Amino acid sequence: MLKAWRLSLVILAILFFSVVATATEVHLQPDFVRLDRVTAVQPLANGITIRAGAAVLHITALRDDLLRVRVAPDGRFPEDASWTVLTASRVDAVNVIAENTNADVGFKTAKLRVTIHRDPMSLRVTDLEGRVIVENFSPRPIEYHEHAFRVYLRSPEDEHYFGLGDKPGPLDRRNASFANWNTDSFGWQESTDPIYKSIPFLITYRGGISTGIFLDNTWRTSFDFNKEYRDAYSFGAEDGPLDFYLLYGPDAKAVLASWAWLTGHTPLPPLWALGFQQSRYSYYPESEVRRIADRLRSEHIPTDVIWLDIDYQLKNRPFTVDPERFPHFDQMIQDLKAQHLKTVLITDLHIADLPGANYKPYDEGQTKDYFVKNPDGSTFVGTVWPGKAVFPDFTRQAARDWWGTLYADFVHKGVAGFWNDMNEPSVFDVPSKTMPDDVQHHIEEPGFASRIASHLEVHNIFGMENSRGTYEGLLNLAPNLRPFVMTRASFAGGQRYAVTWTGDNASTWNHLRQSIPQLLNLGLSGFALSGADVGGFAGSPQPDLLTRWLEVGAFEPIDRDHSASGTHPQEPWENGTPEDVNLRRRYIEERYRLLPYLYTTTEEMSRTGVPMMRPLFLEFPWPDANGSPLDFGAGNAFLLGADLLIAEAPFPDELDDYMIALPPVGWYDYWTGARIEPAKGGADGKHPTEVRLHRELDTLPIFVRAGAIIPEQPLVQSTDERPNGPLILRVYPPTNSGEKCSGSLYLDDGVSFAYKQGVFFRAAFTCQLMPDGISVRVAPASGSFAPWWKQVSVEIYGATKAASHATVTHLDGKGGALLPTAFDVKQHRITASMQDEGKGFEMKLMY
């Protein structure tokens, strides 16, 4: 027996070591695979294929600065299809140069070097100067646990992480972890995760160098930054493909341009979308909507939009109107238009389950078999606002096309825009707050194999495809009008179809503070047109909180005051003293004066992918003395466009002074026009200027970059109104002669696509310091759109004395002429006005 027992041990040992030897290539266990040694290499014209035992790693260059990495643990790749990445971008390619040694394999492009160490296997990407872009965390590079996978990357202690959409928390994602699973998160707090959107895209920053990483996987994904390992970050999914992209900068602006190229640009919105917008859950009955409209106009609160939440509908049924609450709905829409107020209606994606009730959305969808199914083939029914409800299967192109037709009646009535809410999708009375995992969706989409997918795969894109159906439907119904769609839930690439907001926030000081990093990270994730419910949704704001929020909201991309049912009114004239109302009106008015700058910045965003609302490191990528972005010394400051720096307090409810670190380029006070004197050491152009601020209720600190030229307009009450007066060019001279001084202006009709045929106005401005004065040049305009002004008023800021004289020379050959000037000592401003016919001029102002 003893000999037999020993023989059995020997046999078991041989079997064990045999398994271990076999597994050294991929450490294969029944539920575990780790790619840790290169076993075969195949060079490609645009990259390389690596084998690690049964696993295959495919790395290709779409562009010299953009790589795609795909992994198949069993050697079989899934279909090459994406809801996010544009088809033309996904199949693009550049040739590469192979670089192989005994220890490493890889290739280089004109901008990047890709190196895969053979044993142990590890991926390393650098730029051609040798700076590391990404590098596997060597103890655990890439792992599979059954269907789940995880990629580990080294995290230097001075590297920072941004993006991932509207996740609450600080601007920097370092030392935090997140899950992507679209969730109806009413009452979310700073530590809540997940919430409404899933955008598995991040931007790294280290010493001014940035890279984007996008995981193209629609399942539940997660990102960990230095929680599991202090010197590593990781990302992974519970199922689906391991397919990710690396977008090299070198700066974050270049990363965002690549992100737009990869996933699509935000379309240019209608101009009215940049106006102030008033909303509530809910304005009803019809008389209340009319009262709000009349009060907005009588109070002279510039406004462009009134939003109608679910209570305009009959029993909360989408695409209906309650005839008792709104007996003259069609006429109301026209009357609001006559007051220059657009109407945006909510249209949730759940369709009331009403067989035999003559409810068109249900009857048509059921007849065409367009609703989401249970595993047994029956239609899935969940409880939402109308009670029992069914859900269109938005992964079917035919179902989306049908969904778009449901808007025809509202569009023909003159409704301007639509609001897709509850589209995570939210389902009441179940612990998950959404559909069961095993609900089935039919994928019937060009570029995809037709098949049935579980809700686990489709959940995160459901809201995006809902907003896509709405956007494309509106385009079909009114082909020459720019659609306006707002969505609560979305996925990466959803910026092609809708603007968004941060969901059901609360009327607290912390949520006012939290809105800024949320909107900045949304912009860094592609959603440049975003807003937060101004004043807060849940609860009633204190008067000072509402005032402060309306002030900050005036400088954010989407400016919508919205509040929950049962809360106190929070329109600008409510909840405060007459002085509060005057302050709130003044800041909304300032937004309307800035509309030329706002719209120009928006048009730039639509072309370049650079958001309107920007963290400081986007314009000033150099690090501070600790290697961190300059934002970290600037509290809760942000940029609106390239030239306006809004310096909200780090904690808006605190009474203490706070410091702001202004980037070393020279700055002016927006409100007084005075030049900010650099602190000691700050005049060298390398060190920030520290400014102590005391935030008063009536003054939100705003600074203007030296060398900026800001276009403004006379005050209007809506974007329908033609400004009456001159175009205003606010010129902020550079600190030193020879430094850049420029600005631009873009205009079009604000509603149509005529700009794509050249019906726009575009002009560029420059200025130049002279020994005893300054010259301002307005170049001849391009495009065929006729602007509203006939005169330009040039305002030179930072002035300490009046001008001796000013002259203008028109660039069409007309002779020069003397100009009268005015000096405002309190505003540190010299003003000169001249006629303008769009042919360009040069003004010289002498001191």
Side-chain angles (χ1 to χ4, degrees), residues 649-711:
F651 296 93
D653 53 332
E654 289 186 353
L655 302 179
D656 303 315
D657 291 355
Y658 60 98
M659 300 298 293
I660 175 76
L662 297 175
V665 294
W667 295 91
Y668 292 79
D669 187 307
Y670 178 80
W671 301 114
T672 69
R675 187 190 296 270
I676 305 299
E677 294 300 324
K680 289 184 179 180
D684 60 3
K686 297 180 181 179
H687 297 87
T689 295
E690 298 281 345
V691 178
R692 180 178 293 276
L693 299 175
H694 182 73
R695 173 76 156 95
E696 299 285 357
L697 183 62
D698 63 348
T699 304
L700 171 62
I702 300 177
F703 302 93
V704 190
R705 187 206 299 237
I709 302 178
I710 306 292

Side-chain angles (χ1 to χ4, degrees), residues 585-603:
R585 180 189 298 109
R586 178 162 70 87
Y587 276 84
I588 295 171
E589 288 176 344
E590 199 64 32
R591 180 181 182 90
Y592 276 76
R593 290 189 178 96
L594 276 168
L595 276 174
Y597 177 78
L598 276 170
Y599 195 54
T600 300
T601 303
T602 304
E603 192 273 337

